[in-house]
Amino acid sequence: MKKTLITMVLLLGALLSACGDGTQPQQSDSASRPAPEPASVKKSQLQDVKPAEVVSLSLKDLGLPADADEVTPSGAVSEALIQDGQLRFVTPDDIGENQEAEFEIRSGATTSVFHVVIRSQRPTSAFNFGDGPADAPPLPKLIVEGLAPGNVVTGAPLTFRMQGISGMNLKDNSHGYITAGDNNDIALILDDLWSFNLADSSFSISGPAMQRMLDTLPIGDFFMTLNLSRDSEFGVVYDIRATKAEAKLSGRLLSEQGAPVTSLAGRKVLLEGVNTRMRAVAVLDANGGFALERHVLPDIYFLTLSDLHYPNVIRTSFPVYEGSTQAQVTMVVPPGLGVDTGANTAKQRAAPGSSAVQSSVTQDGKGPPPRSIPAAKRALAPTPLAAEGVDSAVFSATAAEQDRLVNKKIDFQVPIGTESVGIRITVFSEEEYLLPKVSSRAELEQLIRKHQQSGMLPREDRKYKDTWSYSVVGFPDIEFSASGLAKQLRFTDGGMTETRCVDVTGQTKNAALNISGSVSAINIGDDLLPTTTTVELTLGCKKLKSSSSTLEVLSAQFSSPNKNANPIISPITIGDGMHGNLAGCYLSIPQSGSDNTHTIPLKITYSPADAEITEMNLGITELKSGEPFGIPTNFSTVNLLTQNHTKQPGLITFPGISLPAFAGDMALGNLAVMVRLKGSVGGAAVSSDPAGRGGRVKFGVKNEFTPLYLAGDVAKLSGRRFGPRDDGGDSWATRGTIKWLLENDLQYSGHRYRFNDISSQHVAQTRDGRSIMDHAGHSDGRQIDMRYADGQGGYSDALGGQGNGEHIKQLINAAAAEVKKTTKKPGSWYYGPKLEALQHWITENRTMLEIEADSRSTRAVYIGQSFIEDVLVHGKFPSNSVTGSIAIPLVSAWTEKSAKISSQPYHMNHWHISLSNYGPVIN
């Protein structure tokens, strides 16, 4: 839920503690309200949010009283509202760069200012993922001309130039290439397509050449990598995400009778692409129509009416199939949600038993081919709760017909004097997943080896992806709203359940409380394997629970940033292409001891609220395709209530928890994390079921994590580290990365690679997305810094790069001196020991790097510039050596160097490799 996105960082001038605040005079922005004497001002930073979405945040979690009544947005956000104990706002279109907004909220004499970053999900600017320090001089910005909005390639000529650079000859040493698809293969070499203009040091691709490029590339995203280099003293690598797309999307809002909704001119609809992460905003016209300005990719999309009073209630989902050039979507607006759908709505309403208009999509692309589903035993959909003698209601939507949204409106009245309302949300799907099913660890290991050899991951078929959605509006201080794909249920017996018991005493003291919303589902791609979304509401849950002897965890949620204001678990800066961090949720799993350097905020709700909780444990279990989620296989008995926490009835909050040690084998796939509570109810000892639905810890809407382990703690790797250690650990790696390091025991010359930084604990980052270890990348457990080969069959410190490559530089200079001395006489030549050592150094490093760059599991390799690039790439002595820039005897230029290998600043003491998803872990 969105409320878990909050971590308070209270500021006044300098950064204070998470509980601190300050005071300063603050004038009222209302002429009718006298200025308070004096006003207290709190400044806080919210976690980043995404574009094109309705965000709901609990006032309680923001540290504000429930009677806060006025909000003023500024910056990128123009719509905000306080209702039902929540701050709600709508974020703008994704413009390809981050945007910022502030909210000034008044409560009596107190003014609170909240700052938020709206982080682009598809950045359009070129990015450099070099590992230079944060205080390094800024690199030139790359200007790209000729791309349409969203970096869509249309066939128009393209030009690339670095801002502030002109008259620099980049022609001979610059290179560019394109990667496309789900692997790291290079699809096009840009050197064959572009021309160079010395006047502004730009590279251009003509219209005819662009058409050849478009004819070659498939529909979808691709990545252009540019290595713009003058010589070994100047070079920058840029990554640009671009798109080849053909489909245009338009749509209309209709009443249940099929008439256009004409009352919403100027209102917005919000579009979200599930796999492409595309997010866009479109404005409705006087006939309820809209047209998206940019092209869209084949994907599954959610379309939502921007509405702060009924957030995420009016929503549909639909596919855009491959081959579509035009797609039209209709979204039905049900009556009774504050939207005038027509003056004669009541008269036009469909008669009982008749078929009303439904949301739909029409397009000129073809859907997926029919598939054959073998007969198999299916899990049974959860049985709705029995009324148990109290008032209750069930709202359920089951989608079976292909691409047809099934929606059920929620309309429930809570009578005056009601103390509590129980809510249970269930999503169940029979949808099969095309990930290979395994029955044992040995079978999964065999599958991993197979895909490591091919360099490819088992790809899920995105054409059959049922969707589900629910939004329940009206409960105080709590948002019940989510949407997703059926694939997210694949490790949970085909379903998921959320249960809560909500205190409504204050809301029903003098009047009835109206609960509204919707549940929906859509069966995408075919009419097989239905998906069901259900919301069950029950009056008086507290009374029922108080007599129960069962302790139940209702929800458990990790959040970010942590108490030190560092974003954790999910990397902010995502590369997706050859460079940068791979998206995912990463959790550092200690195996030898707990570490509290980078802790995780954790919030647990439980029932009954008056239970006496004395112990809390965490467990983990490996998630295997084809196996149901069950009892945790690795459970820690450490009572985590010994760590700092606060308790309220039904709620335990950890400002920052340190995970306990979990001994045992490293997981082959992703993990689930479970909570177990122990205590007493009415004097009787109780313990919650860790396999219960609420006991599975979430991060946002995700409930599976890619585990990271300390590579430096692995017996065969511990002696292969170099460099200083960072607090919390700096060698946190995926199991695949560790396996890659172990396999390199004999990969080259019978010796072992030596390594340093990989990732920090829980991939802790700074607010701008850099790793806390001061790297632009290194936040996915798959990027490694390693010593160079020393030319003597090993990776020793000196000639491996120690001292910023000083010993390598000394060897180069000594070899140059030998050549200078012995070539004074015409025709003379001398094989001096330093020259021979340098030749061996070059040969060993070229061979090593070629082996790694040629692997399909390798995304990118970085080596140093300056003297490293001179000898290793150009085969020449540096220009400042005693010989000048001449060819090294018996060494030619490295003409067969892979395009994946690029020269970067700050890589004199190590080379860097970025690995792909190593093994069938999909996050």
Side-chain angles (χ1 to χ4, degrees):
M1 296 179 184
K2 300 291 184 186
K3 68 176 187 178
T4 61
L5 297 176
I6 311 305
T7 293
M8 300 285 287
V9 182
L10 301 180
L11 301 173
L12 179 61
L15 189 65
L16 303 178
S17 70
C19 300
D21 61 19
T23 60
Q24 67 181 45
Q26 175 70 33
Q27 298 297 318
S28 171
D29 59 356
S30 173
S32 62
R33 179 182 297 168
E37 280 289 335
S40 176
V41 178
K42 297 181 179 180
K43 295 185 178 181
S44 304
Q45 178 72 49
L46 307 182
Q47 185 182 347
D48 298 350
V49 295
K50 298 175 181 178
E53 70 175 354
V54 179
V55 180
S56 297
L57 305 174
S58 164
L59 294 180
K60 181 178 179 181
D61 285 350
L62 291 172
L64 297 173
D67 62 354
D69 58 359
E70 182 180 343
V71 57
T72 303
S74 61
V77 170
S78 59
E79 301 176 60
L81 172 72
I82 293 178
Q83 182 173 309
D84 297 334
Q86 299 167 25
L87 166 65
R88 298 173 182 167
F89 57 92
V90 182
T91 55
D93 197 1
D94 192 341
I95 60 174
E97 61 186 39
N98 296 339
Q99 304 170 79
E100 299 186 17
E102 281 195 342
F103 305 93
E104 183 179 284
I105 300 178
R106 300 188 65 90
S107 177
T110 300
T111 297
S112 299
V113 177
F114 297 92
H115 179 267
V116 66
V117 174
I118 302 133
R119 190 165 295 277
S120 173
Q121 301 300 290
R122 294 174 61 90
T124 54
S125 59
F127 196 86
N128 175 272
F129 283 93
D131 279 341
D135 58 356
L139 295 168
K141 180 180 179 181
L142 183 72
I143 306 298
V144 184
E145 299 172 348
L147 294 173
N151 279 10
V152 174
V153 177
T154 63
L158 279 186
T159 299
F160 310 98
R161 59 182 175 85
M162 289 183 286
Q163 192 173 53
I165 303 295
S166 61
M168 181 184 291
N169 188 359
L170 305 171
K171 180 179 180 181
D172 296 332
N173 293 323
S174 295
H175 304 282
Y177 57 91
I178 288 177
T179 55
D182 291 337
N183 54 51
N184 300 314
D185 290 340
I186 295 173
L188 280 173
I189 301 295
L190 295 181
D191 307 30
D192 302 331
L193 300 173
W194 66 24
S195 59
F196 179 68
N197 182 355
L198 181 61
D200 61 357
S201 299
S202 66
F203 289 88
S204 297
I205 304 177
S206 67
M210 285 298 302
Q211 191 57 54
R212 294 199 302 273
M213 177 194 297
L214 283 175
D215 292 342
T216 302
L217 294 172
I219 297 292
D221 286 325
F222 59 91
F223 297 87
M224 294 185 287
T225 298
L226 307 182
N227 185 352
L228 303 183
S229 176
R230 176 192 61 197
D231 50 34
S232 60
E233 299 302 322
F234 178 84
V236 188
V237 178
Y238 298 97
D239 235 16
I240 311 157
R241 181 183 195 143
T243 299
K244 177 182 176 182
E246 296 180 351
K248 292 291 289 183
L249 178 67
S250 59
R252 290 187 303 162
L253 269 61
L254 303 176
S255 70
E256 285 187 326
Q257 295 73 39
V261 176
T262 59
S263 60
L264 299 178
R267 290 276 292 273
K268 299 171 182 176
V269 288
L270 315 174
L271 186 74
E272 174 194 357
V274 175
N275 297 304
T276 60
R277 298 203 301 272
M278 179 180 181
R279 288 176 172 265
V281 174
V283 179
L284 295 167
D285 62 25
N287 294 312
F290 70 90
L292 205 66
E293 294 182 359
R294 67 187 72 175
H295 290 77
V296 298
L297 292 169
D299 198 3
I300 295 166
Y301 291 91
F302 282 96
L303 182 70
T304 306
L305 177 65
S306 174
D307 191 329
L308 295 179
H309 295 279
Y310 299 92
N312 303 314
V313 172
I314 303 174
R315 169 183 277 174
T316 187
S317 58
F318 57 92
V320 171
Y321 289 129
E322 294 178 4
S324 289
T325 60
Q326 298 290 331
Q328 297 84 34
V329 60
T330 61
M331 182 163 64
V332 173
V333 180
L337 293 176
V339 176
D340 178 12
T341 58
N344 298 318
T345 296
K347 296 179 181 179
Q348 296 173 358
R349 185 166 297 176
S354 64
S355 178
V357 172
Q358 295 176 300
S359 300
S360 63
V361 62
T362 58
Q363 54 190 302
D364 53 359
K366 293 182 179 180
R371 57 178 174 168
S372 175
I373 304 297
K377 183 177 180 180
R378 300 291 178 190
L380 297 177
T383 304
L385 290 172
E388 299 187 34
V390 297
D391 293 339
S392 66
V394 177
F395 306 92
S396 187
T398 298
E401 185 179 353
Q402 178 177 343
D403 300 343
R404 181 69 66 177
L405 179 77
V406 179
N407 183 279
K408 178 71 172 181
K409 180 185 172 184
I410 296 174
D411 191 357
F412 185 74
Q413 189 174 79
V414 182
I416 295 177
T418 303
E419 293 184 358
S420 59
V421 176
I423 178 169
R424 185 167 89 157
I425 301 167
T426 304
V427 183
F428 173 81
S429 180
E430 292 186 358
E431 183 61 48
E432 277 198 346
Y433 305 94
L434 301 182
L435 282 172
K437 293 186 177 183
V438 296
S439 58
S440 66
R441 186 179 182 90
E443 186 178 347
L444 185 55
E445 287 179 331
Q446 183 179 8
L447 180 67
I448 290 174
R449 283 194 295 271
K450 171 184 175 182
H451 290 287
Q452 285 173 346
Q453 292 168 1
S454 67
M456 295 288 290
L457 294 174
R459 180 183 176 183
E460 293 181 281
D461 195 323
R462 295 178 177 176
K463 299 174 182 178
Y464 307 98
K465 288 291 167 57
D466 296 2
T467 68
W468 52 269
S469 175
Y470 64 81
S471 182
V472 186
V473 179
F475 283 111
D477 197 44
I478 299 175
E479 182 205 21
F480 293 106
S481 176
S483 60
L485 302 181
K487 75 163 189 169
Q488 295 168 333
L489 313 174
R490 67 180 181 267
F491 293 116
T492 56
D493 294 331
M496 66 165 233
T497 300
E498 298 284 348
T499 59
R500 292 292 293 272
C501 184
V502 184
D503 188 337
V504 295
T505 306
Q507 287 67 36
T508 60
K509 183 177 181 180
N510 299 313
L513 174 65
N514 292 316
I515 305 298
S516 59
S518 65
V519 294
S520 66
I522 179 171
N523 196 339
I524 290 179
D526 58 19
D527 57 3
L528 303 173
L529 307 177
T531 293
T532 299
T533 312
T534 302
V535 168
E536 304 167 60
L537 301 173
T538 305
L539 299 181
C541 59
K542 279 193 173 182
K543 182 178 180 181
L544 291 175
K545 292 292 182 181
S546 63
S547 62
S548 171
S549 61
T550 301
L551 178 62
E552 182 180 8
V553 174
L554 302 177
S555 67
Q557 191 88 35
F558 287 143
S559 61
S560 172
N562 64 13
K563 62 184 180 181
N564 297 323
N566 295 128
I568 52 173
I569 298 179
S570 182
I572 288 177
T573 308
I574 304 300
D576 288 335
M578 302 293 283
H579 306 275
N581 301 310
L582 295 175
C585 293
Y586 301 96
L587 207 61
S588 297
I589 305 298
Q591 293 189 299
S592 57
S594 184
D595 187 288
N596 64 354
T597 302
H598 303 295
T599 58
I600 311 173
L602 172 63
K603 181 178 293 186
I604 303 167
T605 61
Y606 60 89
S607 177
D610 57 355
E612 182 67 27
I613 307 300
T614 59
E615 185 174 344
M616 190 276 279
N617 315 115
L618 287 179
I620 57 176
T621 192
E622 185 175 353
L623 299 174
K624 299 177 183 178
S625 183
E627 292 187 6
F629 169 73
I631 299 174
T633 55
N634 194 336
F635 217 92
S636 169
T637 59
V638 174
N639 184 5
L640 298 180
L641 290 183
T642 59
Q643 298 186 23
N644 182 34
H645 69 282
T646 58
K647 283 185 182 179
Q648 299 176 39
L651 175 66
I652 303 173
T653 302
F654 292 85
I657 199 167
S658 301
L659 297 185
F662 296 99
D665 293 333
M666 296 180 187
L668 297 177
N670 285 355
L671 291 178
V673 180
M674 284 77 63
V675 169
R676 179 178 65 197
L677 297 179
K678 292 183 179 180
S680 62
V681 175
V686 291
S687 178
S688 68
D689 178 8
R693 302 296 187 183
R696 185 166 171 179
V697 182
K698 288 186 175 182
F699 179 76
V701 298
K702 300 285 184 66
N703 58 10
E704 58 182 280
F705 302 89
T706 298
L708 302 180
Y709 302 95
L710 271 176
D713 282 358
V714 176
K716 291 185 178 181
L717 299 179
S718 59
R720 290 163 53 183
R721 298 297 309 278
F722 72 88
R725 305 282 75 81
D726 292 76
D727 292 341
D730 52 15
S731 65
W732 291 100
T734 65
R735 179 190 176 277
T737 299
I738 292 172
K739 191 171 185 292
W740 183 89
L741 283 168
L742 290 170
E743 287 177 344
N744 277 294
D745 277 3
L746 299 173
Q747 179 145 352
Y748 178 68
S749 296
H751 290 277
R752 303 171 177 178
Y753 291 160
R754 298 181 59 221
F755 63 97
N756 186 20
D757 287 349
I758 301 178
S759 287
S760 66
Q761 186 181 27
H762 309 306
V763 298
Q765 304 140 74
T766 61
R767 286 294 304 171
D768 63 359
R770 292 179 65 86
S771 168
I772 202 73
M773 304 183 303
D774 204 11
H775 293 274
H778 285 272
S779 290
D780 57 12
R782 300 177 178 93
Q783 301 174 55
I784 319 170
D785 288 344
M786 291 187 288
R787 284 291 194 217
Y788 287 102
D790 59 13
Q792 301 167 13
Y795 307 92
S796 58
D797 281 327
L799 292 179
Q802 189 180 50
N804 204 30
E806 183 60 30
H807 298 279
I808 301 172
K809 187 176 183 180
Q810 291 175 6
L811 174 63
I812 295 170
N813 288 336
E818 287 181 344
V819 172
K820 177 74 172 178
K821 177 180 179 180
T822 59
T823 55
K824 290 181 179 179
K825 296 180 179 179
S828 64
W829 202 254
Y830 175 67
Y831 289 94
K834 299 299 183 181
L835 176 60
E836 186 175 9
L838 178 60
Q839 291 166 341
H840 283 303
W841 189 92
I842 294 170
T843 299
E844 286 190 9
N845 278 284
R846 284 184 178 181
T847 304
M848 172 186 70
L849 296 170
E850 284 173 356
I851 289 172
E852 301 308 341
D854 287 344
S855 171
R856 298 183 74 179
S857 67
T858 298
R859 297 165 58 217
V861 171
Y862 302 151
I863 59 174
Q865 292 182 342
S866 186
F867 55 88
I868 296 287
E869 181 180 356
D870 279 329
V871 299
L872 197 54
V873 178
H874 305 303
K876 294 182 177 182
F877 287 115
S879 58
N880 61 359
S881 65
V882 294
T883 60
S885 182
I886 67 169
I888 300 171
L890 300 182
V891 176
S892 60
W894 193 6
T895 57
E896 300 300 317
K897 179 179 74 70
S898 169
K900 293 181 184 178
I901 302 172
S902 59
S903 302
Q904 292 265 13
Y906 312 106
H907 285 75
M908 304 304 185
N909 70 334
H910 70 276
W911 64 282
H912 166 112
I913 188 168
S914 295
L915 301 173
S916 62
N917 284 314
Y918 205 65
V921 176
I922 296 178
N923 212 317

